[in-house]
Amino acid sequence: MSKVTVTIPDDFILGAAASAWQTEGWSGKKPGQDSYLDAWYKNDRHVWHNGYGPAGATDFINRFREDVALMKAAGLTHYRTSINWSRFLTDYENVIVDEEYATYYDSLIDELHANGIEPMLCLEHYELPAALLQQYGGWGSKKVVELYVRYAEKAFARFAGKVTRWFTFNEPIVVQTRVYLDALRWPYEQNTGKWMQWNHHKNLATAKVIKLFREKGYQGTVGTILNPEVTYPRSTAPHDVKAAEIYDLFFNRVFLDPAIKGEYPAKLLALLATHRVNWDYNEEEMRLIAENHVDEVGINLYYPHRVKAPSRAWHPETPFHPAYYYEHFELPGRRMNKSRGWEIQPQIIYDMAMRMKNDYGNVPWFIAENGMGIENEAQFKNADGEIQDDYRIDFIGEHLYQALKAREAGANCQGYMLWAFTDNVSPMNAFKNRYGLIEIDLENQRARRMKKSARWYRTLRDARQLTLSLDDEMK
Ligand code: BGP
């Protein structure tokens, strides 16, 4: 181990992220304003850890001024959250803005600016209105794509003067993968065609919203926030390498390529045809995707993903699933975050950065999420009651180091944003794993308290330097 000090460039983002539904809580929510998450929570509460969920969340909607003060104390340069589509409107068909909710966003944005923190807004972080899921089947419907574009138009009209960095989605692949590909979440339906239809419609929606933003002449950028899993094959053998390539096509390139290059990989289209995955698209939609690329990409990176060639035959009656081509592989001896069950390998940041540089035209991008969810953090409180989360400081330091190293090697990496600013609600895991720089004390009216990592994060901003101890092989 030896000590290393790296300079953090002045324009490098040092931020944190969250989303509307994971923080705001239901205070002030009107009948009919449920999101997909709200409907899932209402229908299937027993799968949410200890019954916590979007209803209470962190009550950010009432406490945002206190939280923005803490953001300033923790040294954040940027804060990313979403607008909750299901609450921003009272009528999704006629796009009627909920004035009360919009006013809250005006105040939040003003408060961030007043404290020197740049807001970044995402238009959908899984907050599809539940009514549109029930009525049209959600993102399976072209009508929902149109309604989303009209919602985006209202959001831009209201806030584009004050917010210049916009994102169409956060992790657009997640909901349909959990619901339609793996049937792990409500409303539980295995349907590979629907999975691909949702993927395509979200790509189409991104293109349409970019087009709209540019046509209206707003100042600023529109990007998307993706979660490509850096996927390593078990071995260098061709069968393992093929498993990793196919995984990459189905789960990473299905969003990266349309967003940045304006097209689906030909190999992915061929695989969908081979397996008769039914999805509906046309020439005009492909043209829109081809003509409207993102300005920047946010990338959420938490863990490496490893695969090997499948070792068993596919049952003939099982519908097609990309796992036909791969199996997950666990590296013996891997470093783990046991609370979340995710491997820790900071090199994913460097490897993703090189991929963005070499395969995606060095488009501007930043780490939009990275972080460490830990169970029972109260056990790490010192005598004064402050959580001593040195494990989080090490985790952030090691990942940030890889980003800075990649930048020195020519990667167009614009910054690092931690998930999350405060502890908040995760799908199903709710408050089980704590991610925040700021503790939310559920036993004590959701009191906020800085963790040791928040004070440390502040020093990064003040000194514009990262100092950490590294194994020689990590340098
Ligand atoms: C990302 C999501 C976040 C957040 C985070 C933590 O995938 O964009 O919303 O939830 O993961 O992961 P988890 O909530 O599964 O612990």
Side-chain angles (χ1 to χ4, degrees), residues 143-263:
K143 167 91 178 176
V144 169
V145 176
E146 287 317 311
L147 293 177
Y148 169 80
V149 176
R150 295 183 66 201
Y151 146 62
E153 190 172 6
K154 291 283 178 180
F156 292 151
R158 179 86 184 205
F159 306 121
K162 308 204 262 193
V163 175
T164 55
R165 241 162 155 160
W166 291 90
F167 299 90
T168 52
F169 292 95
N170 174 79
E171 300 194 352
I173 200 168
V174 165
V175 172
Q176 62 271 26
T177 300
R178 305 285 182 270
V179 173
Y180 295 113
L181 199 57
D182 294 329
L184 293 169
R185 293 184 184 175
W186 181 86
Y188 309 103
E189 179 190 344
Q190 206 296 318
N191 186 326
T192 313
K194 275 195 186 174
W195 173 75
M196 188 56 204
Q197 195 67 58
W198 279 49
N199 290 338
H200 173 60
H201 282 162
K202 289 183 179 181
N203 282 319
L204 178 63
T206 290
K208 288 189 168 203
V209 166
I210 292 169
K211 183 167 185 275
L212 169 86
F213 189 86
R214 291 181 185 152
E215 280 173 0
K216 297 265 180 191
Y218 291 120
Q219 294 294 307
T221 54
V222 183
T224 191
I225 295 171
L226 305 179
N227 56 319
E229 292 172 66
V230 177
T231 301
Y232 300 110
R234 165 181 61 172
S235 79
T236 53
H239 46 275
D240 284 336
V241 171
K242 180 180 169 196
E245 270 171 17
I246 294 188
Y247 187 91
D248 188 49
L249 285 167
F250 277 108
F251 296 101
N252 301 334
R253 294 187 62 189
V254 66
F255 279 99
L256 280 168
D257 283 38
I260 305 171
K261 298 181 172 175
E263 60 185 14

Side-chain angles (χ1 to χ4, degrees), residues 11 35 53 64 76 135 141 188 226 316-317 348 373 382 405 447 471:
D11 61 350
S35 68
F64 70 89
L76 304 195
Q135 206 174 334
S141 153
Y188 309 103
L226 305 179
E317 284 173 19
I348 56 172
N382 66 9
K405 187 172 121 180
D471 277 346

Side-chain angles (χ1 to χ4, degrees), residues 22 40 126 171 174 178 184-185 227 229 302-304 330 334-344 369-376 392 395 419 424-435:
Q22 288 170 286
W40 174 22
Y126 320 152
E171 300 194 352
V174 165
R178 305 285 182 270
L184 293 169
R185 293 184 184 175
N227 56 319
E229 292 172 66
Y302 286 89
Y303 54 86
E330 291 184 351
R334 66 202 184 280
R335 207 174 134 198
M336 287 291 287
N337 168 5
K338 292 204 177 92
S339 300
R340 190 60 183 83
W342 286 344
E343 183 182 341
I344 299 175
E369 286 180 27
N370 171 247
M372 195 183 199
I374 293 290
E375 222 172 326
N376 296 325
R392 179 167 291 108
F395 184 96
W419 185 269
N424 65 35
V425 173
S426 291
M428 292 195 286
N429 279 335
F431 283 104
K432 175 178 158 290
N433 303 318
R434 301 308 187 94
Y435 281 92

Side-chain angles (χ1 to χ4, degrees), residues 89-97 132 136 143 147 150-151 154:
L89 302 176
T90 52
D91 177 336
Y92 309 119
E93 304 273 343
N94 297 301
V95 283
I96 310 292
V97 172
L132 301 185
Y136 299 110
K143 167 91 178 176
L147 293 177
R150 295 183 66 201
Y151 146 62
K154 291 283 178 180

Side-chain angles (χ1 to χ4, degrees), residues 25 117 150 232 283 388:
I117 299 158
R150 295 183 66 201
Y232 300 110
E283 287 295 308
Q388 303 300 291

